[in-house]
């Protein structure tokens, strides 16, 4: 029981809720609490009180000790007896084996007659139970029981035959025993027999059995003496504990411990005379009391006058704030004699200084959690490496650092894996002021080996430089600039590597100037957490940049890099990739025969590498089909079949289509007739800007998207004045998530109206100025202003179906070329036209026409109403004909055949001199 200091011994303590009013109350059996009557012993033995339980426990322990001692003594005696038996048996066997005459007796004709009397005499003299002599086969020559002679020895003899000694416990012919077997050797050391000696277990344990009564008597005496001593101790303990049971004492201890230690407040108990009776650990710490404070007067404890006066007065106080040394304490005090208790007071102390400090630390922790939350939602909002680095720097300033910079390897900015050992580029820089003398954004930096950044990149660990003025390794980077940084007031640096798995992408640097505290361990942990989250986002952006660059490279390689030379149209174009990745928008300009030009624009639905690859396949197919000089509707029909085959060949196992949709618009413009023939497959209609500035969207048959099949495509013919602008585009120009296509068409119409007489280049610029910098879908735009091939550059003749008319046609061509100043081409032109006209007269049907066009080249065309196409072949040396088209192919730069609704046209082009 714990008795409070200063409490009189004659006054019983409170019962703490126990049913008995006082621990000193008389017991039901009439005995007093002081244990002066015989009932004390009965109470102790009963086991209900702590003293009784201690008595029983001590008696049990003493009993166990006594029993253990007896058992140990018996076992020891038995062990010693067994060891003595082994030693005696060994000594007897060795002595008998080495006795004079033993070897000779073993070699005698009747060893038993010689050895049996000797063995029995030695057995009786030595006190062993048997001495057995046997040959090397284990056949006995001697035995205490004669009927056992001549029989096999019971035991192990192998080691003895090898010259060793055997000691074993067995169940022999005379009962359980300990026996020893030793070899009998002759003068040459050869084993000629064996001797065994032993003592039975009954004789071995005899000594122990004789000592057992004495041991039991000693144990009983020790138990009685210990029980008497335990009873005396229990009686003393019963008086000290006032007869309390374990549960009652546990409750007392729990209450006492709860008051003194379970609360985070100082507790003082001061007696009526002003002396300190009790002070718990918290009170000792808060008041910085001396070790011997208890029993001393509170005025002598070295406290300030106001606090000491309050403690000695015993008056009631509620949350009075006192400054005790460097602590601000809230003091509550109550007297203890309000309900009949002893005079004095109980005082509690609460440290409000630490509460404020804890509140401040909690606020710091909350702010850091908010920063981590903001990092989770504010870093990595875009798949852009630079922007992600800027988000990290912006988050850290000014909440964590006064300045923040991010340095990345150049390869990371390009989407590639970083290359250690190369220079870094300052990607982001943010600060509370703009004039800090740090490296600017875009600066390529190669850090020296001693700098914190280089060490961080090499080891992958963060580096803290608490005092930059004393950091020689950092100052070695650039003596002039680092001097400016220190002079500016930046005093502390924290460098954290941007790690994504095994890759180190760069470093993030945090600087402090206005905040006086240098970076510490908690700041390091927070910075590493922030940078770790940013590094994942930067690595994701890097990977996206790489994949996007690959897709853009593929797409750019599939789009036309430059426009072909042609004279029919003045063309400008634009291509804007989508914000979320490459798409399948494409366009092309294809020169055709007869100075005509084909314009094509298409769109493969979707984004990514598959859309770009499909776009390349469609563009290649349009190139091939256009070389056949097919009308627009037939070309779209062939393209529709191709897309259907692609869908069929590349349909995945789950049945989803490989191409989710494709549209196309194909237009052919003839500068001679000023006629434009168009056909579209699910594509938005073109815009036509007339020379007077009016804008219209021609009503073209829509046609289904490519790949659906089943419906034919239709064409429409437009006659365009010279200077008209034909605008072809993809749906990304006029359609968006936030508006309908009709709204987009109206916006396009308004933009085109504002460009009367503008060039195609100016028109493209005006149209795209109204679009966002990064549209949500790809945009392909072609603006073509029409030109006309005048009548002075076109010559036509009708040729009769008579071979004699060929010579007159040659003369007409000669005169026309002379008028154009192309006398140098006369011979080849006459030869080409002679062969083509002759073939038309011989194999075709009338009417036959000849046309010369002077464009970038001299174009010769021969038409007839037959649909049979000539074929180039190589004539044998013995053939009389078949060389006409071969000559035409050799003399012309290009030649070919195109079909018309009324027949065909065979054409050939010659370069101008």
């Amino acid at each position: 029981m714990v008795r409070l200091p200063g409490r009189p011994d004659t006054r019983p303590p409170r019962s703490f809720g126990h049913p008995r009013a006082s621990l000193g109350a008389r017991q039901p059996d009439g005995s007093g609490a002081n244990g002066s009557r015989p009932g004390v012993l009965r109470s102790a033995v009963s086991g209900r009180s702590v003293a009784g339980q201690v008595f029983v426990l001590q008696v049990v322990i003493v009993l166990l000790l006594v029993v253990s001692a007896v058992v140990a003594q018996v076992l020891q005696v038995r062990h010693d007896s067994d060891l003595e038996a082994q030693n005696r048996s060994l000594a007897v066997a060795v002595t008998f084996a080495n006795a004079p005459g033993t070897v000779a007796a073993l070699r005698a004709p009747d060893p038993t007659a010689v050895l049996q009397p000797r063995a029995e005499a030695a057995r009786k003299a030595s006190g062993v139970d048997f001495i057995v002599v046997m040959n090397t086969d284990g056949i006995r020559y001697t035995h205490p029981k004669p009927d056992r002679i001549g029989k096999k020895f019971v035991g192990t003899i192998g080691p003895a035959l090898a010259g060793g000694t055997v000691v074993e416990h067995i169940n022999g012919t005379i009962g359980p025993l300990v026996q020893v077997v030793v070899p009998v050797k002759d003068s040459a050391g050869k084993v000629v027999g064996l001797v065994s000696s032993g003592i039975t277990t009954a004789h071995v344990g005899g000594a122990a059995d004789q000592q057992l009564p004495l041991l039991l008597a000693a144990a009983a005496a020790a138990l009685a003496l210990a029980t008497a001593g335990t009873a005396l101790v229990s009686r003393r303990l019963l008086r000290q504990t006032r007869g309390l049971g374990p549960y009652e004492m546990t409750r007392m201890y729990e209450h006492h411990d709860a008051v003194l230690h379970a609360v985070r407040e100082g507790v003082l108990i001061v007696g009526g005379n002003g002396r300190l009776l009790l002070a718990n650990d918290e009170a000792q710490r808060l008041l910085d009391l001396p070790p011997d404070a208890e029993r001393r007067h509170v005025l002598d404890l070295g406290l300030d006058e106001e606090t000491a006066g309050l403690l000695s007065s015993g008056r009631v106080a509620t949350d009075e704030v006192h400054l005790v040394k460097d602590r601000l304490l809230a003091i509550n005090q109550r007297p203890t004699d309000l309900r009949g208790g002893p005079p004095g007071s109980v005082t509690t102390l609460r440290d409000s200084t630490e509460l404020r400090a804890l509140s401040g630390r909690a606020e710091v922790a909350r702010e850091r959690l908010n920063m981590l939350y903001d990092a989770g939602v504010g870093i990595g909002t875009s798949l852009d490496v630079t922007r992600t680095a800027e988000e990290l720097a912006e988050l850290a300033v000014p909440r964590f650092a006064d300045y923040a910079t991010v340095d990345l390897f150049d390869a990371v900015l390009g989407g590639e894996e970083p290359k250690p050992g190369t220079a870094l580029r300052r990607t982001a820089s943010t600060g509370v002021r703009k004039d800090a003398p740090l490296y600017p954004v875009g600066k390529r930096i190669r850090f020296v080996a001693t700098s914190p950044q280089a060490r961080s990149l090499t080891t992958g660990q963060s580096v803290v430089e608490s005092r930059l003025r004393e950091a020689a390794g950092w100052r070695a980077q650039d003596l002039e600039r680092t001097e400016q940084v220190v002079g500016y007031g930046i005093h502390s640096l924290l460098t954290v590597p941007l790690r994504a798995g095994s890759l180190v992408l760069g470093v993030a640097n945090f600087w402090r100037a206005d905040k006086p505290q240098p970076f510490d361990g908690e700041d390091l942990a927070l910075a590493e957490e922030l940078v770790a989250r940013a590094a994942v986002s930067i690595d994701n952006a890097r990977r996206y940049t790489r994949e996007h660059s690959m897709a853009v490279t593929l797409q750019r390689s599939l789009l036309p890099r430059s426009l072909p030379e042609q004279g029919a149209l003045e063309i400008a174009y634009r291509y804007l990739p989508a914000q979320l990745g490459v798409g399948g928008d494409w366009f092309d300009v294809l020169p055709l025969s007869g100075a005509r030009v084909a314009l094509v624009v298409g769109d493969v639905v979707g984004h990514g590498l598959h859309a770009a690859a499909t776009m390349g396949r469609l563009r290649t197919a349009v190139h091939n089909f256009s070389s056949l000089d097919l009308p627009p509707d037939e070309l779209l029909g062939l393209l529709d079949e191709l897309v259907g085959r692609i869908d069929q060949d590349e349909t995945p196992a789950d049945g989803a289509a490989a191409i989710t949709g494709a549209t196309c618009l194909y237009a052919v413009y003839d500068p001679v007739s000023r006629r434009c023939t168009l056909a579209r497959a699910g594509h938005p209609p073109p815009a036509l800007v007339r020379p007077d500035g009016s804008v219209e969207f021609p009503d073209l048959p829509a046609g289904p998207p490519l790949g659906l099949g089943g419906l034919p495509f239709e064409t429409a013919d437009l006659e365009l004045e010279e200077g008209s602008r034909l605008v072809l585009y993809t749906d990304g120009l006029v359609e968006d998530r936030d508006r309908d296509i009709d709204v987009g068409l109206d916006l396009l119409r308004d933009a085109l109206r504002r460009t009367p007489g503008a060039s195609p280049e100016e028109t493209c610029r005006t149209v795209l100025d109204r679009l966002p910098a990064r549209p949500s879908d790809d945009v392909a735009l072609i603006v073509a202003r029409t030109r006309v091939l005048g009548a002075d550059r076109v010559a036509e003749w009708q040729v009769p179906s008579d071979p004699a008319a060929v010579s007159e046609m040659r003369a007409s061509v000669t005169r026309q070329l002379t008028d154009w100043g192309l006398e140098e081409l006369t011979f080849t032109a006459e030869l080409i036209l002679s062969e083509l006209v002759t073939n038309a007269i011989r194999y075709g049907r009338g009417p036959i026409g000849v046309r010369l066009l002077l464009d970038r080249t001299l174009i010769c065309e021969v038409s007839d109403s037959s649909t049979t196409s000539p074929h180039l072949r190589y004539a044998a040396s013995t053939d009389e004909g078949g060389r006409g088209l071969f000559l035409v192919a050799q003399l012309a730069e290009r030649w070919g055949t195109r079909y018309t609704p009324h027949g065909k046209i065979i054409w050939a082009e010659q370069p101008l001199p």
Side-chain angles (χ1 to χ4, degrees), residues 162-179:
T165 300
V166 178
V167 178
E168 60 184 346
H169 295 72
I170 66 170
N171 191 8
T173 57
I174 59 176
L177 51 85
V178 177
Q179 70 179 10

Side-chain angles (χ1 to χ4, degrees), residues 688-720:
L688 178 60
V689 184
R690 299 290 184 179
D692 59 359
S694 61
V695 180
E696 61 180 285
F697 293 94
D699 186 14
L700 304 182
L706 299 175
L708 297 182
L711 295 176
F713 297 97
E714 300 180 39
T715 62
D717 292 331
L718 302 177
E719 187 170 341
L720 306 179

Side-chain angles (χ1 to χ4, degrees), residues 484-567:
Q484 295 175 358
V485 171
V486 173
Y488 187 77
I490 297 177
H491 59 82
S492 184
L493 166 63
L494 173 57
T495 297
V496 183
L498 285 155
R499 299 187 59 180
S502 60
L503 299 179
V504 178
L505 309 176
V507 291
N509 307 295
F510 304 98
W511 316 76
R512 279 186 177 173
D514 297 348
K515 294 180 176 62
Q517 303 86 359
F519 290 108
D520 55 18
E522 293 184 358
D523 295 326
L524 175 61
L526 176 61
E528 288 180 340
E529 182 68 22
L530 291 175
V531 173
R533 300 189 181 198
V536 173
S537 299
I538 290 176
D539 189 54
N540 291 338
R542 177 190 68 83
R543 295 173 183 270
Y544 170 78
T545 301
R546 180 183 61 186
E547 295 175 1
H548 182 70
S549 299
M550 292 171 58
V552 169
T553 301
L554 172 63
Q555 185 185 41
R556 293 293 187 187
S557 66
L558 297 176
L559 291 173
R561 300 184 180 180
S562 62
L563 297 181
E565 296 183 2
Q566 47 81 31

Side-chain angles (χ1 to χ4, degrees), residues 204-268:
V204 172
D209 294 339
Q210 295 174 3
Q211 298 179 7
L212 184 59
L214 181 60
L215 290 175
L216 293 177
L223 181 60
L225 183 61
T227 301
T230 301
L232 294 176
V233 173
S234 298
R235 182 178 180 181
R236 175 67 177 174
L237 182 61
L238 183 64
R239 287 200 303 268
Q240 293 293 328
T241 59
R242 306 281 185 173
L244 288 176
Y247 175 72
E248 296 166 325
M249 294 194 67
T250 301
R251 288 185 60 193
M252 287 184 61
Y253 174 77
E254 288 176 350
H255 290 185
H256 182 270
D257 187 68
V259 172
L260 294 182
H261 305 292
V263 294
R264 289 293 298 170
E265 292 186 350
V267 177
L268 297 173

